[in-house]
Amino acid sequence: MRSITKLIEQIRRQTENEEVSDFTGISDKEFIQYINDAQYNLQAAIVHQHPRVFIKEVVIDAVSGQEKYNLPTDTFLRNKVHNVEYSSTGAEEDYYVLEEDTIKRRNPGVSGAPVHYIRLSGQVLLNPQPQSAGKIRVNYVHTLRELRKASGKVVSNTPVVTSGSSNWTINLDNDTFTTDVDLLDEENSVCIVDKFGNNVVSDIEIVEVTNSAITCIPKTLSSDDVSTIPAGSMVIAGANSTTHSELDISVERYLIAYAAWKILKRDSSVDSTEAIQELQSMQAEIVKSYAMISDDVQYIPQLNSWDDWSM
């Protein structure tokens, strides 16, 4: 899919809003809001009908005697968990499936081999809590990254500082790409992506921003991050953001149509009524296209439970 900058240009042409300045016209910020609204709206519709489309996997360290574990910050609505497994050794062959339970059956303070998990406000609770260190493997629905325009450009290769108390610096190329200091100052974190919007490092907490540098707090790298930021990478405001949507190229037309409809509606255009009908039809078509199709024989699933491992 094209970058959000290119999408804005297309929407401006489509809605005849190409003239813009500091005092006239519709700002890019408003277009960005509408495009993100479209993405949120479409993902919610797809997840409602096809909950396994946006599944990601993460492995969390289990601690002896610890009941609560935070879900990844990009978990959809902070509770969309598809599957939870536990391994006392961390070895692939030792993982077994935990059964979901309710908060009414919580047993805090009881240790043993976990059998159930409970979802609670962005966390999973293991029941019973682990009696020794282990690994928790979670498959969850992730939230699509928010779309933003680039706010800066990295001037030189920069190793990511992951330990110690000292802050670290990302130097910016303000000569070839003007740093948007005001926008970066509005956020607590930034992301670094390549020119195609692919993640380099996400959720970097910032201390201070100038035209030529960002001072950052040391970061714990995730499995999606790299240890060194390449020169030429782009800085994006926000903890979970990018310049290119993770959705398929076929969905680009929906983001454009949705934002165009909002602009036409804002302008009190008579075209907005026709646009909403077309938009609804387009959304229904896209949601259907995300259905999982398989010509294979469907067998009854056999799950490894705690009881299987205890025999």
Side-chain angles (χ1 to χ4, degrees), residues 14-294:
Q14 190 167 317
T15 60
E16 299 180 350
N17 279 284
E18 295 180 81
E19 294 185 11
V20 62
S21 68
D22 292 338
F23 306 102
T24 61
I26 301 174
S27 69
D28 281 355
K29 284 187 176 181
E30 192 161 347
F31 282 90
I32 291 170
Q33 180 63 58
Y34 294 150
I35 294 171
N36 278 299
D37 288 347
Q39 182 171 262
Y40 298 144
N41 182 63
L42 187 59
Q43 184 180 20
I46 293 171
V47 169
H48 179 70
Q49 295 291 327
H50 314 296
R52 294 171 60 188
V53 170
F54 301 104
I55 295 294
K56 286 179 67 174
E57 182 173 284
V58 65
V59 175
I60 303 171
D61 292 329
V63 179
S64 175
Q66 180 174 318
E67 178 194 27
K68 299 179 180 179
Y69 298 88
N70 292 328
L71 290 169
T73 55
D74 65 343
T75 303
F76 191 69
L77 298 180
R78 300 185 65 207
N79 72 347
K80 295 296 183 182
V81 174
H82 178 67
N83 190 52
V84 179
E85 300 168 281
Y86 182 78
S87 170
S88 59
T89 65
E92 287 286 329
E93 62 271 17
D94 290 336
Y95 276 105
Y96 60 88
V97 177
L98 303 185
E99 298 178 3
E100 185 176 5
D101 212 333
T102 67
I103 194 66
K104 292 183 180 296
R105 298 187 61 184
R106 179 182 180 185
N107 292 309
V110 177
S111 296
V115 181
H116 301 97
Y117 76 93
I118 299 167
R119 288 181 292 178
L120 181 67
S121 300
Q123 295 180 318
V124 288
L125 281 56
L126 299 191
N127 183 18
Q129 61 195 25
Q131 61 185 1
S132 61
K135 298 289 184 180
I136 309 163
R137 187 163 63 189
V138 180
N139 291 95
Y140 67 99
V141 179
H142 78 280
T143 303
L144 293 173
R145 303 184 76 173
E146 188 174 48
L147 299 175
R148 300 282 192 91
K149 292 177 65 176
S151 298
K153 184 177 180 180
V154 179
V155 71
S156 58
N157 289 356
T158 307
V160 181
V161 175
T162 58
S163 61
S165 58
S166 299
N167 294 330
W168 57 291
T169 300
I170 301 174
N171 293 313
L172 304 178
D173 185 359
N174 192 54
D175 294 330
T176 63
F177 190 99
T178 303
T179 304
D180 192 337
V181 177
D182 292 338
L183 182 58
L184 293 174
D185 272 338
E186 294 176 1
E187 301 287 346
N188 295 319
S189 302
V190 296
C191 291
I192 310 295
V193 302
D194 65 17
K195 63 180 180 180
F196 301 110
N198 299 313
N199 182 67
V200 176
V201 185
S202 62
D203 196 11
I204 303 172
E205 190 173 351
I206 56 179
V207 177
E208 184 181 11
V209 179
T210 66
N211 288 331
S212 59
I214 303 176
T215 304
C216 313
I217 292 176
K219 174 179 168 37
T220 301
L221 292 175
S222 73
S223 58
D224 294 329
D225 295 333
V226 301
S227 58
T228 299
I229 300 172
S233 299
M234 307 308 294
V235 180
I236 317 296
N240 187 39
S241 51
T242 183
T243 51
H244 295 63
S245 176
E246 299 171 77
L247 293 168
D248 187 75
I249 182 64
S250 63
V251 180
E252 180 180 293
R253 57 198 170 106
Y254 177 84
L255 303 185
I256 292 171
Y258 185 99
W261 165 65
K262 294 290 285 188
I263 294 297
L264 291 171
K265 185 179 177 183
R266 180 187 185 279
D267 288 343
S268 300
S269 171
V270 293
D271 295 331
S272 64
T273 301
E274 181 179 343
I276 185 59
Q277 295 173 349
E278 180 182 348
L279 188 64
Q280 291 170 342
S281 175
M282 192 184 300
Q283 176 180 312
E285 174 197 332
I286 291 172
V287 171
K288 286 180 181 178
S289 71
Y290 271 89
M292 297 184 66
I293 298 175
S294 176

